[in-house]
Amino acid sequence: MNSYLMLGLAALIVLGAILAAMALAYRRRVDRRTGSLHQLLELADRLEGDLKSCRAGLQQAHAVMSLNPDLPAHGEQEARHAIDAGLRSLLQQRIWIRDQAPRASQQQLDQAVHAMNDTRDRLRPLLAALDRAQHDLDSAMREHLRREHDA
């Protein structure tokens, strides 16, 4: 009888270890999924901020450069359309996150995070160039005003 007790105890320990391992694996999967969803939403917010910052910078630059800031230049219209297209695309991504992400596979979530990171990476040099151009334009305007004031 003692051997049956030992065998039962061993089986119970093995079963407990298996259940603990399964619970740990499930918890890791849930944590990874939650992390991916959180990262995806955070990236969407950052990308939206980047796009809006780009739009504001372009509007400011074109307003300074144009003779009539109320009438946007042709290049400004193209830039607005491109930024608006980016914002529409981001809205579609947010709708996907809302509607599909809860049922999406981890691979689909990872792909969405990767795609959004790639978009932000492509946008960064454009934002940096816009920032440099804005700085150069501001410097040129200050210089122009200084010369005008001195004359």
Side-chain angles (χ1 to χ4, degrees), residues 78-96:
E78 288 178 12
R80 279 186 186 178
H81 290 308
I83 291 169
D84 289 345
L87 288 168
R88 279 190 302 278
S89 177
L90 179 60
L91 178 60
Q92 289 174 338
Q93 184 69 20
R94 285 186 185 274
I95 291 170
W96 182 87

Side-chain angles (χ1 to χ4, degrees), residues 8 13 33 40 46 49-50 92 110 121 126 148:
I13 290 172
R33 182 174 188 75
L40 195 55
R46 287 181 185 170
D50 290 346
Q92 289 174 338
D110 291 343
D121 288 344
L126 300 173
E148 220 175 62

Side-chain angles (χ1 to χ4, degrees), residues 7 14 18 24 30 40 46 48 53 74 87 91-92 94 98 116-117 122 131 135 145:
L7 186 59
V14 169
I18 290 171
L24 183 62
V30 168
L40 195 55
R46 287 181 185 170
E48 182 177 5
S53 173
H74 179 68
L87 288 168
L91 178 60
Q92 289 174 338
R94 285 186 185 274
R98 183 196 68 201
M116 202 161 302
N117 268 323
R122 286 191 309 271
D131 189 46
H135 177 71
L145 292 174

Side-chain angles (χ1 to χ4, degrees), residues 1 41 64 105 124 127 140:
M1 188 150 119
L41 291 170
V64 169
S105 69
R124 269 191 206 106
L127 287 169

Side-chain angles (χ1 to χ4, degrees), residues 53-77:
S53 173
C54 189
R55 178 172 55 190
L58 285 171
Q59 287 172 341
Q60 183 180 6
H62 283 284
V64 169
M65 291 176 10
S66 69
L67 296 175
N68 184 357
D70 296 329
L71 184 61
H74 179 68
E76 182 184 3
Q77 287 288 38

